[in-house]
């Protein structure tokens, strides 16, 4: 009878120890941490060749109390580094502003670790549509095109 009680109490202690270990490991993931959000700003267009990067866009991230700003470089790249800790589950609002383009707002939900590895792409629409230059010349036709080439066999 004594052995049975000892085995039951040993099993209970083992289960309690496993639960405490799992809770400690899980609580480490929910610690606040510094966050870095990066991405690019491009021009919105149907033609992918015209989706060019936009420089000097003011990118701001806010959670209501904390604000972080950065400017995009010549390749459209931006990197926002939060100085304060951000809790998982918080919602951040990314705003993109440039006087030549319509403003864009994005919502980012901060998770455990996957936001650090994501790239955020913001496509901005120009305020003034691109004007196609009017040409006074007639289009020329090219005919009888010959191409010479050689093949080296060595």
């Amino acid at each position: 009878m004594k052995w049975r009680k000892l085995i039951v109490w040993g099993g209970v202690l083992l289960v309690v120890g496993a639960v405490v270990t799992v809770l400690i490991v899980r609580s480490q993931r929910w610690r606040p941490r510094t966050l870095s959000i990066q991405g690019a700003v491009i021009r919105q267009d149907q033609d992918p060749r015209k989706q060019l990067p936009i420089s000097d866009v003011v990118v701001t991230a806010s959670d209501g109390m904390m604000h972080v700003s950065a400017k995009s470089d010549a390749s459209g790249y931006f990197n926002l580094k939060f100085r304060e800790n951000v809790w998982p589950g918080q919602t951040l609002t990314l705003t993109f502003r440039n006087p030549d383009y319509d403003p864009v707002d994005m919502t980012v939900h901060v998770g455990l670790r996957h936001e650090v590895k994501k790239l955020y792409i913001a496509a901005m629409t120009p305020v003034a549509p691109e004007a196609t230059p009017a040409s006074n010349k007639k289009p020329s036709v090219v005919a009888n095109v010959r191409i010479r080439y050689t093949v080296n066999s060595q």
Side-chain angles (χ1 to χ4, degrees), residues 4-149:
R4 281 188 178 171
K5 284 185 180 180
L6 199 57
I7 291 172
V8 169
W9 279 108
V12 168
L13 286 175
L14 186 66
V15 169
V16 168
V19 168
V20 167
T21 303
V22 167
L23 289 176
I24 289 173
V25 169
R26 284 284 191 142
S27 69
Q28 297 299 320
R29 289 185 176 178
W30 283 94
R31 287 187 317 197
R33 65 188 191 290
T34 57
L35 183 67
S36 176
I37 295 177
Q38 57 188 347
V41 185
I42 61 172
R43 178 189 173 128
Q44 174 70 38
D45 202 312
Q46 296 293 333
D47 186 5
R49 293 174 292 177
K50 293 182 181 179
Q51 292 179 351
L52 301 173
I54 305 172
S55 61
D56 297 327
V57 175
V58 177
V59 183
T60 306
S62 172
D63 68 347
M65 297 178 64
M66 173 177 38
H67 301 283
V68 177
S69 292
K71 269 192 172 184
S72 63
D73 61 8
S75 64
Y77 175 77
F78 67 89
N79 189 1
L80 296 169
K81 292 184 181 180
F82 289 86
R83 290 183 206 100
E84 298 178 25
N85 292 332
V86 178
W87 284 91
Q90 266 186 306
T91 301
L92 300 174
T93 304
L94 296 179
T95 58
F96 302 88
R97 301 288 186 261
N98 188 314
D100 299 332
Y101 294 88
D102 290 333
V104 174
D105 294 331
M106 287 177 130
T107 302
V108 176
H109 299 287
V110 179
L112 290 176
R113 300 226 186 263
H114 62 87
E115 271 67 28
V116 178
K117 298 177 184 174
K118 280 187 177 179
L119 288 176
Y120 293 93
I121 308 297
M124 298 183 77
T125 308
V127 173
E130 184 178 307
T132 57
S135 177
N136 295 339
K137 298 179 182 178
K138 288 190 208 173
S140 60
V141 177
V142 179
N144 280 338
V145 176
R146 293 184 185 182
I147 300 173
R148 294 176 104 183
Y149 65 93

